[in-house]
Amino acid sequence: MVRIMSFDRLQKKIDEMRNPTVVGLDPALEHIPPDILRKHVTEKGESLEAAAAAVVEFNMGLIDSLCDIVPAVKPQSAYYEALGPDGALALKATCDYARSKGMYVIIDAKRNDIGSTAEAYSSAYLGAVTVGGAEFRPYDADALTVNAYLGSDGIQPFIDAAVKYDKALFALVKTSNPSACELQDMLIAGAGDAGAPRTVYAAVGDLLESISHHTIGEYGYSRVGAVVGATYPEEIEYLRARLHHTFFLIPGYGAQGGSAADVARAFDENGRGAVVNSSRAIIAAWKKTGSDYKESARLEALRMRDELQSAIL
């Protein structure tokens, strides 16, 4: 029996909007229009509380302007953690508001550990915490980025939570940073097809498919996706051909150098199976246009959608 699951919902949203885009909500304070930050500083003083309040207002404006054309958002937890406890509340408020607008929410936290610590991380971001007789969903994201490089016992607690609460993961496989090759491209002797060497990143991808094969949903993808950088288009194509049941999250498009033609390699023969991230190019588009930040973000998101459609279809 095929089950509807988290990535099925994401793919359905992508199909309905004809837009495989996720907007990274990475609200560095320099990306927030000065009038928004100034308003909250006036009310609360020069404080982390004021900064966090400005982040929430900024994010809500972006979500309002994008929710009918973009299927998903990806808050990067580092920007919220930098603001301390107030930032944690801002992340929660952002996730809740995005979900209320029908958007799929990926928290980009790249968490990883083993045993009870991994279980605690998964409870925080994907699952629930019980206090007495009450159950609470701390962040209740639809998906979470995780670091797969501790091996299967660092991933399994997150998979268990994803299955229990109908969530999903994106695990680091081939990252977009320039030094990724220092470790990820190393060859493992005799471990690949027919005993041929394979790269570390290919081994990680193979492991993820192996341990998540029982979670495949309607569109043919498991609950464990892969982060694969747009800056390595040949590797994207290789992994797409190798990992038939893995949904891809593609960072590195635009500002980092990945093109629409590069990311098009991440999609299957039906134009499915991947979502492409853009962060500051959309949320800080107002800096280039000089116009309202919400209008500028919407226009840039539409431009990106059209560019991706032309490359994929």
Side-chain angles (χ1 to χ4, degrees), residues 1-6 8 163 214-219 223:
M1 179 179 176
V2 175
R3 296 176 295 173
I4 303 298
M5 50 78 91
S6 185
D8 293 336
V163 170
H214 62 292
T215 71
I216 294 172
E218 177 183 1
Y219 290 94
R223 291 185 185 273

Side-chain angles (χ1 to χ4, degrees), residues 259-265 267 305-313:
S259 69
D262 294 334
V263 303
R265 305 184 188 205
F267 294 84
R305 179 199 66 184
D306 295 345
E307 185 174 80
L308 292 177
Q309 283 182 359
S310 296
I312 296 166
L313 301 178

Side-chain angles (χ1 to χ4, degrees), residues 245-300:
H245 302 294
T246 302
F247 204 99
F248 287 3
L249 169 62
I250 309 294
Y253 168 85
Q256 286 182 260
S259 69
D262 294 334
V263 303
R265 305 184 188 205
F267 294 84
D268 65 20
E269 64 275 11
N270 299 310
R272 290 173 169 156
V275 65
V276 183
N277 180 74
S278 179
S279 299
R280 62 184 179 271
I282 290 178
I283 70 172
W286 64 271
K287 288 186 168 186
K288 291 184 177 180
T289 65
S291 302
D292 175 74
Y293 83 95
K294 292 177 283 189
E295 178 185 351
S296 298
R298 184 178 180 87
L299 290 174
E300 175 58 24

Side-chain angles (χ1 to χ4, degrees), residues 110-143:
K110 300 180 178 70
R111 295 297 190 247
N112 186 238
D113 215 304
I114 59 172
S116 59
T117 310
E119 291 172 4
Y121 277 138
S122 62
S123 295
Y125 291 103
L126 302 175
V129 175
T130 301
V131 181
E135 184 178 88
F136 300 92
R137 301 286 185 96
Y139 289 106
D140 202 20
D142 294 296

Side-chain angles (χ1 to χ4, degrees), residues 36-277:
I36 294 177
L37 185 57
R38 186 164 48 247
K39 180 181 77 172
H40 291 283
V41 167
T42 299
E43 293 175 356
K44 300 176 175 66
E46 294 181 336
S47 63
L48 294 177
E49 181 186 8
V55 163
V56 173
E57 179 178 342
F58 179 60
N59 285 347
M60 286 182 171
L62 289 168
I63 290 165
D64 286 341
S65 68
L66 298 171
C67 63
D68 64 323
I69 59 170
V70 173
V73 290
K74 183 177 69 65
Q76 164 52 259
S77 66
Y79 293 93
Y80 302 84
E81 292 172 28
L83 302 179
D86 294 300
L89 293 173
L91 176 58
K92 170 66 172 172
T94 296
C95 292
D96 288 349
Y97 193 71
R99 278 197 308 276
S100 77
K101 294 293 185 176
M103 303 187 87
Y104 188 91
V105 178
I106 304 166
I107 292 184
D108 190 357
K110 300 180 178 70
R111 295 297 190 247
N112 186 238
D113 215 304
I114 59 172
S116 59
T117 310
E119 291 172 4
Y121 277 138
S122 62
S123 295
Y125 291 103
L126 302 175
V129 175
T130 301
V131 181
E135 184 178 88
F136 300 92
R137 301 286 185 96
Y139 289 106
D140 202 20
D142 294 296
L144 173 71
T145 62
V146 296
N147 188 336
Y149 280 80
L150 262 68
S152 58
D153 58 354
I155 297 296
Q156 193 60 52
F158 293 96
I159 297 176
D160 294 342
V163 170
K164 182 176 180 179
Y165 295 101
D166 190 19
K167 307 293 187 175
L169 312 174
F170 284 108
L172 301 181
V173 173
K174 177 62 176 174
T175 57
S176 59
N177 55 304
S179 64
C181 59
E182 293 174 358
L183 296 176
Q184 295 169 21
D185 288 8
M186 293 178 70
L187 294 177
I188 305 172
D193 300 329
R198 60 178 170 169
T199 60
V200 170
Y201 72 79
V204 172
D206 292 346
L207 173 66
L208 297 175
E209 284 235 329
S210 175
I211 64 178
S212 64
H213 66 90
H214 62 292
T215 71
I216 294 172
E218 177 183 1
Y219 290 94
Y221 292 97
S222 79
R223 291 185 185 273
V224 183
V227 178
V228 183
T231 47
Y232 296 102
E234 293 183 4
E235 288 83 347
I236 292 176
E237 187 170 5
Y238 169 74
L239 287 169
R240 179 74 286 159
R242 187 181 189 94
L243 307 178
H244 302 290
H245 302 294
T246 302
F247 204 99
F248 287 3
L249 169 62
I250 309 294
Y253 168 85
Q256 286 182 260
S259 69
D262 294 334
V263 303
R265 305 184 188 205
F267 294 84
D268 65 20
E269 64 275 11
N270 299 310
R272 290 173 169 156
V275 65
V276 183
N277 180 74

